[in-house]
Amino acid sequence: KSMERFFQHIFEAMQRHFNFEVLKAVVIASPGFTKDAFSTYMWTHAQKLNLKVFLDNRNKFILAHSSSGHK
């Protein structure tokens, strides 16, 4: 439940703040499988809510592995 709530907050922030006309790439990185779980959550909700802006810019999202959460 806490991960789903975290994903929901991230997704809502992306909807509010991302301007895909300006963005060239969005890198989603994490250790383990968190990035994959978030990606699945994001695309499922984008399709469910019919968010064309996300679905049309799907090629701008890049999933990457990160060994830690620090810069």
Side-chain angles (χ1 to χ4, degrees):
K1 292 262 181 190
S2 62
M3 285 299 282
E4 187 171 333
R5 203 167 356 139
F6 173 69
F7 290 165
Q8 180 182 4
H9 289 299
I10 299 289
F11 187 68
E12 289 172 358
M14 290 169 66
Q15 284 179 295
R16 267 186 262 124
H17 298 290
F18 281 12
N19 180 1
F20 286 103
E21 294 176 7
V22 177
L23 284 176
K24 295 184 187 217
V26 179
V27 179
I28 300 173
S30 75
F33 297 102
T34 308
K35 67 185 172 309
D36 300 318
F38 176 70
S39 177
T40 303
Y41 175 89
M42 179 175 59
W43 297 123
T44 302
H45 277 56
Q47 288 176 342
K48 189 185 302 182
L49 299 173
N50 198 21
L51 296 173
K52 286 279 198 187
V53 69
F54 274 83
L55 299 173
D56 291 344
N57 291 292
R58 189 173 188 148
N59 61 341
K60 292 184 179 182
F61 287 85
I62 299 168
L63 298 180
H65 176 72
S66 171
S67 58
S68 73
H70 299 288
K71 291 183 186 178

